[in-house]
């Protein structure tokens, strides 16, 4: 791993972090300035417009970037697909189509290394009459096309009526191309054959009923990439094949390896097709509840997460259908062969520890060069859902982030920092974690002397409480992405998902917001609904020499220490500084010099102080420990009390390192995850606790009943003093009812409880009537 000290002189020659914005008017490229806390603490200097480059003017349909960030491909329906070179010092702009006859393209993507383009357009009538899957350089009406990303020449055509690009996939090194057709997967070599630029057919896999397949797009590391000792070493590639269920047969997913473990149904009977020595697949998993399958590959390309989903939940517990999570392994430690297992979820994923657990999100840590087994993250359970990390081989949970209203877990490219966010229909809350330390990342608030300039900055306050570190985006979140250097996090609001408040916000790795005045773009120009997409430009591929030392183009940097010239404020001094900062921001907003933008662009404001900044009241900053006492006294805001009621006991499971569980892999644990078996209570202790709780409940109910009677008595006395005639009238009516009850009792009628209760208060009512002194 590289440290921050290693990024001295080489850092100056690295490509700066860039972002691509596509709006209804243009496609723009922005260069992100230095976003470190010390460099951006001052919001007085607006970056120059030199950080902005317009790549294309006009209305566009879609765009995509090459995997190494060297080019941007933009589609205009009136022109076609346009290529903009981003590798040059000054990105090139053009209005000449890069691909001929590309106006009708609707979908497009790059191959894993960026050497090829794959496009899809609506099938023509000629293609409908001649449904041909053969490979040739002529169009023949085929609508799925492979192009050279360098020259723009057409290399291969296929037929695909369904609007998807997943039927054609490349291996990570682009040496082979796989094409899924009816009941078969065809395999092609991308190496030029006989000086022709078309792909050469190698063979096919016979898979009856195959619906989809998946190939890893990353290289992986030994022993994940196996070499066969032959005249020419051949690499082996893993792939998964999904076969939906039919008439009494469950769905199935097979884990295969090309070329030696392709399954018994592989075939090579065609002429001029190289023989494929095939054996049985690595492993297979039957899926009884699977209509859709999502495959996510490990960064080492030796394992895959399998997320299955059905449209209808047969148990009736979920409106959105049922979900299940499986782990497919190329090699297991125990049996040395492929295996498939159900990912065991922590019992804390459900509030009562039982029932089915829906899978909200699952993904791998993207860095293959980390020490040990690569883990993966899962968000499971109903809201508030539980976020957890799991072992990459056994699937066992290893760390619990806690329950919250979160549905997304974004890992930084280096795997050090993690954001747990609640986007889409949720409120946009975000928690920033350091995976290596297993803690929320503390946030430093720079305190300016009178708010003048950075040179006079000498003090800062560190926010460490979880209640203050959890933040919420000021606008609905549509897009979200880590930067290639893992130092900043993009949050965007784009059209057509949201037609208001379009714009892009940048957060540092610790969750502090980069001031809008420090960014090279102005979000006002994209409002209300002009921004269509925003994303980081991918980092270049490291060279072969650099790849042996460092997997990523940018170094892996830990949390930055505070500058030496800064002094940290603690205790009462920190609270006083935060209150002063709040007063300055509130005064700026009241004077109209900054408005809401000033409050949003300023330094971090604690939750207790945000009300004043927002114009909704205020009060001094209250530390989290004191807020709990204020909550008991009814001193917290309505929003805070509603949040506490909604999340319930979510805080009881937070930042828990899970201990190793005994028993077979996937077996249910005894007691909560992370609890010691010696801490379990005996039956007698549980019985005594139950008796104690029952006694406390009875005493509480008796006290409440006595209090209720006293309040009724006070209310009755107050009513008598206010209007004695009205009270006397009511008493006479009740006494008349009592006389009727006595008559019924004299005739032998059995009285109910209410009637007997009225007879019991007759004397009391007559005394009260006499005390009113009414004739």
């Amino acid at each position: 791993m590289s440290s921050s000290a290693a990024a001295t002189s080489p850092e100056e020659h690295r490509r700066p972090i860039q972002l691509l914005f596509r709006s209804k008017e243009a496609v723009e490229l922005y260069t992100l300035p230095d976003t470190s806390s010390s460099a951006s603490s001052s919001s007085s200097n607006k970056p120059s417009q030199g950080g902005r480059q317009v790549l294309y003017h006009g209305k566009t349909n879609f765009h995509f970037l090459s995997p190494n960030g060297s080019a941007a491909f933009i589609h205009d329906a009136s022109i076609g697909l346009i290529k903009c070179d981003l590798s040059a010092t000054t990105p090139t702009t053009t209005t000449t189509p890069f691909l001929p006859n590309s106006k009708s393209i609707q979908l497009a993507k790059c191959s894993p290394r960026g050497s090829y383009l794959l496009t899809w357009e609506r099938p023509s009538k000629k293609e409908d009459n001649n449904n041909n899957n053969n490979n040739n350089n002529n169009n023949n009406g085929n609508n799925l096309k492979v192009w050279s990303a360098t020259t723009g020449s057409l290399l291969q055509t296929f037929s695909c009526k369904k609007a998807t690009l997943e039927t054609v996939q490349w291996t990570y090194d682009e040496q082979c191309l796989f094409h899924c057709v009816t009941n078969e997967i065809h395999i092609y070599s991308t190496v030029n054959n006989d000086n022709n630029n078309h792909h050469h057919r190698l063979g096919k896999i016979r898979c009856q009923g195959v619906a989809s397949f998946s190939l890893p797009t990353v290289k992986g590391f030994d022993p994940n990439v196996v070499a066969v000792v032959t005249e020419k070493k051949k690499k082996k590639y893993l792939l998964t094949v999904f076969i939906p269920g039919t008439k009494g047969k469950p769905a199935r997913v097979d884990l295969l390896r090309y070329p030696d473990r392709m399954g018994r149904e592989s075939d090579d009977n065609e002429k001029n097709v190289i023989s494929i020595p095939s054996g049985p697949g690595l492993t297979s998993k039957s899926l009884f509840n699977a209509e859709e399958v999502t495959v996510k590959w490990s960064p080492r390309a030796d394992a895959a997460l399998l997320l299955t989903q059905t449209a209808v939940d047969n148990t009736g517990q979920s409106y959105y259908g049922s979900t299940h999570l499986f782990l497919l392994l190329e090699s297991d430690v125990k049996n040395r062969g492929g295996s498939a297992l159900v990912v065991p979820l922590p019992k804390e994923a459900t509030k009562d520890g039982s029932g089915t657990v829906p899978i909200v999100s699952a993904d791998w840590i993207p860095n293959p060069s980390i020490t040990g087994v690569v883990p993966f993250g899962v968000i499971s359970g109903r809201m508030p859902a539980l976020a957890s990390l799991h072992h990459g081989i056994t699937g066992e949970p290893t760390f619990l982030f806690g329950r919250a209203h979160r549905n997304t877990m974004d890992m930084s490219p280096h795997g050090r920092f993690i954001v747990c966010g609640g986007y889409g229909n949720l409120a946009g809350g975000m928690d920033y974690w350091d995976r290596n330390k297993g803690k929320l990342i503390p946030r430093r608030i720079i305190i300016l002397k009178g708010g003048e300039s950075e040179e006079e900055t000498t003090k800062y306050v560190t926010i460490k409480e979880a209640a203050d570190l959890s933040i919420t985006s000021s606008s609905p979140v549509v897009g979200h992405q880590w930067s290639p250097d893992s130092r900043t996090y993009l949050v965007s609001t784009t059209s057509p998902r949201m037609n208001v408040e379009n714009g892009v916000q940048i957060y540092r790795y610790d969750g502090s917001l980069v001031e809008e005045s420090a960014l090279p773009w102005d979000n006002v120009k994209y409002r209300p609904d002009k921004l269509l997409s925003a994303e980081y430009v991918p980092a270049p591929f490291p060279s072969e020499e650099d790849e042996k030392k460092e997997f990523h183009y940018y170094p892996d940097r830990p949390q930055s220490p505070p500058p030496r010239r800064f002094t940290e404020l603690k205790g009462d001094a920190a609270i006083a500084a935060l209150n002063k900062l709040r007063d300055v921001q509130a005064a700026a907003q009241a004077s109209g010099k900054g408005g809401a933008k000033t409050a949003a662009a300023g330094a971090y404001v604690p939750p207790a102080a945000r009300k004043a900044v927002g114009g909704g009241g205020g009060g001094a900053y209250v530390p989290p420990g004191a807020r709990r006492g204020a909550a008991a006294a009814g001193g917290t805001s309505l929003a805070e009390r509603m949040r506490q009621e909604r999340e319930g006991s979510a805080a009881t499971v937070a930042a828990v390192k899970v201990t190793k569980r005994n028993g077979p892999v996937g077996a249910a644990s005894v007691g909560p995850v992370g609890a010691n078996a010696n801490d379990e209570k005996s039956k007698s202790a549980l019985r005594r606790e139950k008796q104690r709780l029952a006694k406390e409940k009875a005493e509480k109910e008796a006290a409440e009943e006595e209090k209720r009677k006293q309040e009724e008595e006070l209310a009755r006395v107050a009513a008598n003093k206010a209007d004695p005639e009205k009270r006397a009238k009511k008493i006479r009516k009740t006494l008349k009812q009592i006389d009727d009850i006595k008559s019924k009792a004299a005739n032998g009628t059995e009285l109910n409880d209410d009637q007997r209760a009225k007879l019991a208060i007759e004397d009391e009512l007559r005394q009260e009537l006499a005390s009113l002194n009414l004739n």
Side-chain angles (χ1 to χ4, degrees), residues 498-743:
M498 294 298 300
N499 291 323
V500 293
E501 298 182 4
N502 282 193
V504 176
Q505 293 178 323
I506 301 296
Y507 291 86
R508 301 180 186 92
Y509 67 89
D510 61 354
S512 59
L513 180 65
V514 178
E515 297 83 354
E516 288 191 14
S517 58
L519 299 175
W521 63 85
D522 187 1
N523 286 325
V524 176
K525 65 180 275 190
Y526 299 112
R527 291 170 183 164
D529 60 347
K530 296 180 180 179
L531 186 62
L532 299 176
S533 65
E535 61 178 315
Y536 283 108
V537 176
F541 294 137
S543 62
E544 294 184 0
E545 293 297 327
D546 294 338
E547 193 172 2
K548 296 178 182 179
K549 305 176 184 178
E550 182 80 28
F551 180 78
H552 294 88
Y553 177 77
Y554 297 99
D556 181 17
R557 297 167 54 194
Q559 299 180 34
S560 300
R564 295 181 178 179
R565 66 180 186 275
F566 287 7
T567 302
E568 182 178 8
L569 299 177
K570 299 181 180 180
D572 295 338
I575 296 176
L578 291 175
N579 288 332
K580 183 178 180 181
L581 177 64
R582 179 213 60 184
D583 295 338
V584 171
Q585 292 179 333
Q589 183 182 11
S591 62
K593 293 182 179 180
K597 183 175 180 180
T598 301
Y604 170 80
V605 183
R610 289 177 194 157
K611 294 182 291 183
V613 177
Y621 172 74
V622 183
R627 287 180 215 152
R628 288 189 287 271
T636 54
S637 65
L638 176 62
E640 178 67 15
R641 294 198 297 270
M642 291 177 63
R643 183 190 66 79
Q644 293 176 356
E645 180 181 358
R646 181 175 69 248
E647 296 188 357
S649 59
T652 59
V653 184
V656 177
K657 187 175 181 180
V658 180
T659 58
K660 184 177 180 181
R661 293 191 276 182
N662 298 325
V665 175
S669 61
V670 180
V673 175
N676 193 340
N678 297 327
D679 296 336
E680 297 180 359
K681 296 182 179 180
S682 62
K683 292 183 179 180
S684 59
L686 292 174
R687 183 173 63 253
R688 288 193 299 270
E689 184 178 0
K690 185 177 181 181
Q691 294 172 352
R692 180 181 59 81
L693 293 176
K695 182 179 179 180
E696 292 178 355
K697 183 179 180 182
E699 293 176 352
K700 183 178 180 180
E701 291 178 350
E704 291 178 351
E705 180 66 19
E706 182 66 23
K707 183 178 179 181
R708 183 183 64 80
K709 289 182 179 180
Q710 293 177 359
E711 292 176 351
E712 290 180 354
E713 179 66 19
L714 294 175
R716 181 179 61 79
V717 173
N720 293 344
K721 294 180 179 179
D723 193 351
E725 293 183 356
K726 184 177 180 180
R727 177 61 182 168
K729 182 178 180 181
K730 185 176 181 180
I731 293 176
R732 293 189 184 100
K733 182 178 179 181
T734 305
L735 291 175
K736 184 178 180 181
Q737 294 175 352
I738 292 175
D739 293 338
D740 294 339
I741 293 173
K742 288 181 177 179
S743 300

Side-chain angles (χ1 to χ4, degrees), residues 365 386-389 399-404 406 408-412 415-421 429-443 466 469-470 482 486 508-511 559 650 653-657:
I365 297 293
L386 176 67
S388 56
L389 283 179
F399 184 83
L400 305 182
F401 294 96
R403 281 202 301 266
R406 305 290 184 262
T408 303
M409 186 181 293
D410 282 339
M411 288 79 167
S412 63
R416 179 183 294 271
F417 306 126
I418 298 177
V419 172
C420 294
M430 292 177 284
D431 301 318
Y432 290 77
W433 291 81
D434 189 324
R435 183 187 62 85
N436 293 4
K437 297 183 178 181
K439 297 179 181 179
L440 287 166
I441 303 176
R443 191 174 307 128
L469 293 177
S470 181
W482 275 102
S486 300
R508 301 180 186 92
Y509 67 89
D510 61 354
Q559 299 180 34
V653 184
V656 177
K657 187 175 181 180

Side-chain angles (χ1 to χ4, degrees), residues 193-225:
N193 184 47
D194 297 332
N195 296 325
N196 293 325
N197 285 332
H198 66 273
H199 297 64
H200 176 63
R201 177 84 167 269
L202 295 178
K204 64 181 179 180
I205 312 170
R206 181 70 181 177
C207 297
Q208 189 67 32
V210 59
S212 63
F213 73 103
S214 177
L215 283 165
T217 58
V218 291
K219 179 178 180 179
F221 287 105
D222 294 332
N224 309 296
V225 179

Side-chain angles (χ1 to χ4, degrees), residues 157-463:
T157 62
F158 303 100
S159 176
C160 181
K161 293 184 178 180
K162 187 177 180 180
T164 179
L165 298 174
E166 299 305 316
T167 58
V168 172
Q169 298 181 34
W170 284 268
T171 55
Y172 71 88
D173 55 2
E174 299 178 347
Q175 295 297 310
C176 296
L177 179 146
F178 288 66
H179 177 218
C180 183
V181 297
T182 305
N183 298 327
E184 293 178 352
I185 297 178
H186 295 174
I187 305 171
Y188 299 86
S189 171
T190 59
V191 180
N192 293 345
N193 184 47
D194 297 332
N195 296 325
N196 293 325
N197 285 332
H198 66 273
H199 297 64
H200 176 63
R201 177 84 167 269
L202 295 178
K204 64 181 179 180
I205 312 170
R206 181 70 181 177
C207 297
Q208 189 67 32
V210 59
S212 63
F213 73 103
S214 177
L215 283 165
T217 58
V218 291
K219 179 178 180 179
F221 287 105
D222 294 332
N224 309 296
V225 179
V226 185
V228 181
V229 181
T230 56
E231 295 181 357
K232 292 184 179 180
K233 292 184 178 181
K234 294 184 178 180
K235 297 179 180 179
K236 300 183 180 181
Y237 310 99
L238 296 183
L239 71 151
T240 60
V241 176
F242 172 58
I243 302 173
T246 57
K247 296 183 181 179
K249 291 184 179 181
R252 188 179 84 246
V253 170
D254 295 334
L255 180 63
L256 309 177
R257 187 172 65 194
Y258 175 79
D260 62 332
R261 302 292 292 274
M262 298 299 291
R264 298 295 184 185
E265 297 181 10
S266 62
D267 189 11
D268 54 3
N269 296 329
E270 297 186 8
K271 297 180 179 180
N272 300 325
V273 175
I274 301 175
S275 176
I276 301 177
S278 176
L282 294 173
T283 186
S284 180
K285 182 65 179 178
S286 297
L287 308 172
F288 292 91
N289 291 309
E291 296 176 359
E292 297 180 3
V293 171
T294 302
V295 179
K296 296 190 176 181
W297 287 95
S298 162
R300 293 181 179 171
D302 59 352
L305 285 175
L306 199 66
L307 180 60
T308 66
Q309 185 173 3
T310 58
V312 178
D313 185 5
N314 295 328
T315 63
Q317 297 185 7
S318 175
Y319 173 79
Y320 299 99
S322 61
T323 54
H324 298 84
L325 186 63
F326 304 91
L327 178 62
L328 303 181
L329 300 171
E330 178 188 11
S331 177
D332 194 354
V333 177
K334 295 182 179 180
N335 57 27
R336 302 291 181 180
S339 63
L341 55 92
V342 180
V343 175
L345 301 174
K347 291 183 67 176
E348 289 86 345
T350 56
K351 294 182 180 180
D352 56 358
S354 61
T356 59
V357 180
I359 309 298
V360 181
S361 174
D363 207 350
W364 292 89
I365 297 293
N367 188 358
S369 60
I370 63 176
T371 304
V373 178
V374 178
F376 60 90
V378 179
I379 299 180
S380 58
R382 292 173 178 82
M383 296 296 164
L386 176 67
S388 56
L389 283 179
H390 293 249
H391 194 274
I393 295 180
T394 64
E396 290 284 344
T398 58
F399 184 83
L400 305 182
F401 294 96
R403 281 202 301 266
H405 285 73
R406 305 290 184 262
N407 57 5
T408 303
M409 186 181 293
D410 282 339
M411 288 79 167
S412 63
H414 298 86
R416 179 183 294 271
F417 306 126
I418 298 177
V419 172
C420 294
Y423 307 139
N425 295 331
L426 300 182
M430 292 177 284
D431 301 318
Y432 290 77
W433 291 81
D434 189 324
R435 183 187 62 85
N436 293 4
K437 297 183 178 181
K439 297 179 181 179
L440 287 166
I441 303 176
R443 191 174 307 128
R444 298 184 184 91
I445 309 303
I446 307 300
I447 305 298
L448 300 178
K449 280 188 175 181
E452 290 97 357
S453 64
E454 178 192 354
E455 287 72 13
E456 300 183 5
T457 300
T458 58
K459 302 181 186 300
Y460 69 93
V461 177
T462 302
I463 305 296

